[in-house]
Amino acid sequence: DGHPVFASRLKKRLRQGAKLIVIDPRRIDMVRSPHIEASYHLPLKPGTNVAVVTSLSHVIVTEGLFDEAFIRERCDWDEFQDFAEFISAPNHSPEATEILTGVPAEELRKAARLYATSLVERHVGDPDAKLARNIDASLEAVEEILNVLIEISRLDAGGFEPDITVFSLNEVLERLEVE
């Protein structure tokens, strides 16, 4: 919401059917404005973001909404099991953290289910289509990260434009081939 380029691209994706979960104490424009609406707004109390993420994880793990093959391929399974045991404790449930975070337990559960099932759906289907979607999403993410870093650099420089050169993906690949 605070970065105009990122916000406009996010709004475009929302109009195309993307889902958004806003975790913010404020009712920012991304929660609801003309032509867009977040699927869920979790208005947490300031300083309780770790408790909210812990509760989201609790729901995902206790309801088995994770992709075991994906995790085994990328993580130490024994360490994940330790994490799953820890996060499954009742004191990490949305119901237990609601009084601390101010986020209604049922809304948090629904948001966790949306998040987890959206992730699982991205890993299913035609491998070529999945690869193309992942490449597109990765390139968009890198571009957005660069935009945010440029904006932060500009602000750190007291509002002056920093001396930053951003290369296209093709330019980066050409430079890598030369070196």
Side-chain angles (χ1 to χ4, degrees):
D1 191 44
H3 189 278
V5 174
F6 180 78
S8 81
R9 290 184 180 175
L10 183 55
K11 289 175 183 179
K12 178 181 176 186
R13 291 284 295 126
L14 290 170
R15 287 189 296 272
Q16 294 170 342
K19 304 293 182 198
L20 176 67
I21 300 167
V22 175
I23 304 175
D24 194 312
R26 304 164 297 154
R27 188 171 178 81
I28 60 173
D29 286 344
M30 298 308 286
V31 172
R32 186 162 201 227
S33 59
H35 312 293
I36 64 157
E37 184 172 3
S39 299
Y40 293 97
H41 175 218
L42 306 180
L44 74 167
K45 292 178 184 174
T48 62
N49 52 335
V50 172
V52 169
V53 171
T54 299
S55 291
L56 290 166
S57 299
H58 175 89
V59 173
I60 292 166
V61 169
T62 59
E63 294 186 10
L65 301 174
F66 57 89
D67 183 340
E68 183 177 331
F70 183 85
I71 293 170
R72 283 185 179 271
E73 198 175 296
R74 291 164 177 81
C75 303
D76 180 297
W77 183 250
D78 292 333
E79 290 198 19
F80 174 77
Q81 291 294 87
D82 292 342
F83 168 76
E85 183 180 337
F86 167 79
I87 211 73
S88 296
N91 60 315
H92 298 303
S93 72
E95 292 75 18
T97 61
E98 181 176 359
I99 194 158
L100 172 69
T101 65
V103 176
E106 190 54 35
E107 285 298 293
L108 193 140
R109 285 188 175 279
K110 290 176 184 177
R113 291 174 186 134
L114 173 66
Y115 178 76
T117 55
S118 296
L119 287 175
V120 170
E121 286 171 7
R122 281 188 236 148
H123 299 291
V124 178
D126 175 51
D128 291 335
K130 180 174 72 173
L131 178 62
R133 283 191 307 271
N134 288 342
I135 289 171
D136 287 346
S138 297
L139 292 175
E140 285 179 22
V142 168
E143 183 179 341
E144 294 306 330
I145 290 168
L146 287 172
N147 285 330
V148 169
L149 291 174
I150 289 169
E151 185 66 18
I152 290 169
S153 296
R154 187 184 66 74
L155 294 173
D156 285 347
F160 297 103
E161 289 298 322
D163 184 17
I164 296 176
T165 304
V166 179
F167 298 100
S168 71
L169 180 60
N170 288 335
E171 289 172 316
V172 171
L173 293 174
E174 286 171 9
R175 287 172 183 262
L176 289 173
E177 288 175 9
V178 171
E179 295 174 1

